[in-house]
Amino acid sequence: MTFSLQHTDTGGTNARAGIIHTDHGDIQTPIFMPVGTVGSVKGVHLRELTDDIKAQIILGNTYHLYLRPGIEIIKKAGGLHKFNGFDRPMLTDSGGFQVFSLTGIRKLSEEGCEFRSHIDGSKHFFSPEGVIDIERAIGADIMMAFDECPPGTADFNYARKSLKLTHNWLERCMKRFNETTPLYDYGQSLFPIVQGCVYKDLRRESANFVTQFGADGYAIGGLAVGEPTEQMYEMVEVVNEILPTDRPRYLMGVGTPVNLLENIARGVDMFDCVMPTRNGRNAMLFTSHGVINMRNKKWEDCFEPIDINGTATVDRLYTKAYLHHLFKAKELLAMQIASIHNLAFYLWLVGEARRHIIEGDYYNWHRVMIEQVSQRL
């Protein structure tokens, strides 16, 4: 994997436009990655993912895929690309965040993490080396190092102890990665993850530590996990002052349309979040003019397109009144339409951000868009 930085904003922000080159195709940045946790983007067909949403890369999760269908099945299929049919780039989260979420049924040590499956309660163990082996078998183009994700409200002592553990695990991840080769006929890259909670000194320490490995790209983790939004932005600024400019920067698990626009302005290139599909399944639509609750009666006789920008085929086919009806009737199609729309909107938004970065007016455009997309319609 390589990264070509093409443009930086000339209007007062650190926004960047580039291209990530992988063996499964190029990714234009800034980019949003739909989340395909268990090998599928929930409720979305491959054709819709590629044609309507125009996804350039999707994300899978090591923890979930390890538990089901299991790594041996994925290996027999020839990797996740062949298993699910998506022939464009993929990224795998290491499972660190999921392990963090299992508080009460996990046990951390220097060796790794013992946990119980949320599916059947069976006991399992993740070590840094084991996670690299699992990600090799899944076969994503971009792999994440195994880390601990502390809560956003963690005190300094806990955050410092957690960071030391994450750095020790990273050294072992990088060693295992360098000792092994891809199982399939294409290359893989490993991104270290910057941690440090909301403490500037720890974030700087982590950013300096991870850059010594000369990785193909870097991730910023442990944000949008309970801390105030302004602290998230502050930590991104601190980290991006240190991370190299010639490598992509991936802010994990973020976030709202406003979060994307604000963090693009701070030099972030890659994002993922379950919000477009999760909120869509609950009748919340993100549009270019604000947020819509499709269950509200005001949409009952509104025969306008879902979004006037027409960011996906579904926006041109269906009206707000029809989608309101489907949600009231509890039709599964409602969740599917809303998910496709929200994902297409996110991809449209980062595409527009890229265009305005190249044109040199990102600052003015993103300020207008933040005001628009923040409205409740």
Side-chain angles (χ1 to χ4, degrees):
M1 192 210 85
T2 59
F3 177 64
S4 303
L5 181 60
Q6 297 177 303
H7 298 273
T8 54
D9 181 37
T10 58
T13 77
N14 292 316
R16 301 136 49 93
I19 299 179
I20 299 171
H21 308 277
T22 79
D23 290 342
H24 280 101
D26 290 348
I27 306 158
Q28 294 186 335
T29 64
I31 191 64
F32 179 82
M33 300 178 285
V35 176
T37 303
V38 296
S40 69
V41 178
K42 196 177 294 292
V44 178
H45 192 281
L46 267 180
R47 182 179 60 252
E48 297 157 344
L49 195 59
T50 55
D51 296 349
D52 291 333
I53 297 166
K54 298 179 174 58
Q56 299 178 49
I57 176 173
I58 62 173
L59 178 147
N61 182 262
T62 295
Y63 166 85
H64 289 282
L65 292 168
Y66 161 80
L67 290 177
R68 189 168 50 195
I71 298 308
E72 290 307 312
I73 295 296
I74 294 175
K75 286 175 70 173
K76 285 180 181 179
L80 186 58
H81 287 89
K82 291 186 176 178
F83 187 58
N84 73 359
F86 189 74
D87 61 0
R88 299 178 185 180
M90 290 194 215
L91 179 150
T92 40
D93 184 353
S94 70
F97 179 79
Q98 283 66 38
V99 168
F100 150 73
S101 302
L102 294 171
T103 302
I105 53 174
R106 65 166 170 85
K107 182 180 179 181
L108 291 175
S109 68
E110 282 291 335
E111 287 305 306
C113 180
E114 180 183 283
F115 62 92
R116 290 191 177 275
S117 165
H118 71 285
I119 299 171
D120 60 10
S122 57
K123 188 180 293 186
H124 302 269
F125 184 81
F126 273 0
S127 68
E129 295 82 4
V131 166
I132 294 299
D133 292 345
I134 293 168
E135 291 192 86
R136 285 290 198 196
I138 293 171
D141 302 82
I142 302 173
M143 303 159 46
M144 292 294 116
F146 190 49
D147 66 331
E148 187 198 359
C149 180
T153 55
D155 63 38
F156 182 82
N157 288 333
Y158 182 93
R160 181 171 56 186
K161 182 179 178 181
S162 172
L163 185 62
K164 185 178 186 298
L165 185 66
T166 287
H167 287 174
N168 290 343
W169 285 357
L170 174 59
E171 289 180 322
R172 292 165 57 188
C173 282
M174 295 301 300
K175 184 175 185 293
R176 186 65 158 210
F177 179 78
N178 291 327
E179 290 172 347
T180 57
T181 57
L183 300 183
Y184 314 111
D185 59 350
Y186 52 87
Q188 292 178 285
S189 294
L190 177 64
F191 283 19
I193 302 174
V194 177
Q195 289 287 357
C197 203
V198 293
Y199 303 103
K200 289 183 181 181
D201 289 349
L202 295 182
R203 286 286 174 179
R204 290 191 184 102
E205 177 186 340
S206 188
N208 281 307
F209 182 84
V210 302
T211 56
Q212 70 178 299
F213 295 98
D216 292 336
Y218 298 91
I220 305 170
L223 294 174
V225 288
E227 81 286 354
T229 303
E230 289 307 317
Q231 283 191 312
M232 172 179 67
Y233 297 149
E234 187 178 17
M235 293 305 105
V236 169
E237 290 173 2
V238 166
V239 169
N240 280 348
E241 288 177 356
I242 297 169
L243 294 182
T245 58
D246 62 348
R247 306 296 163 89
R249 302 155 175 172
Y250 163 34
L251 181 56
M252 306 178 74
V254 176
T256 67
V258 172
N259 292 158
L260 267 62
L261 294 169
E262 290 282 17
N263 284 299
I264 288 172
R266 289 163 171 80
V268 173
D269 306 296
M270 305 169 67
F271 302 88
D272 81 282
C273 190
V274 298
M275 189 172 287
T277 47
R278 177 177 291 169
N279 289 27
R281 294 193 303 274
N282 288 284
M284 178 182 286
L285 264 62
F286 299 101
T287 79
S288 56
H289 287 273
V291 181
I292 300 174
N293 182 343
M294 289 309 308
R295 290 197 177 97
N296 287 350
K297 186 175 177 60
K298 67 184 293 185
W299 309 114
E300 183 178 45
D301 59 354
C302 179
F303 301 104
E304 298 173 350
I306 294 173
D307 192 348
I308 59 172
N309 277 320
T311 53
T313 302
V314 293
D315 291 342
R316 297 186 292 274
L317 288 176
Y318 305 118
T319 65
K320 293 184 178 76
Y322 181 62
L323 187 53
H324 169 83
H325 156 69
L326 293 179
F327 271 112
K328 295 296 284 186
K330 299 183 179 180
E331 279 289 336
L332 294 178
L333 181 59
M335 294 184 283
Q336 185 179 15
I337 291 171
S339 297
I340 294 169
H341 162 79
N342 279 348
L343 287 171
F345 170 73
Y346 269 58
L347 267 294
W348 173 85
L349 187 66
V350 294
E352 285 294 287
R354 175 183 171 84
R355 181 169 69 85
H356 286 279
I357 293 167
I358 293 170
E359 292 177 356
D361 64 346
Y362 180 77
Y363 177 80
N364 290 332
W365 172 81
H366 99 288
R367 297 312 306 170
V368 172
M369 286 304 300
I370 284 172
E371 185 175 345
Q372 288 183 195
V373 300
S374 300
Q375 296 184 82
R376 293 275 175 168
L377 300 178

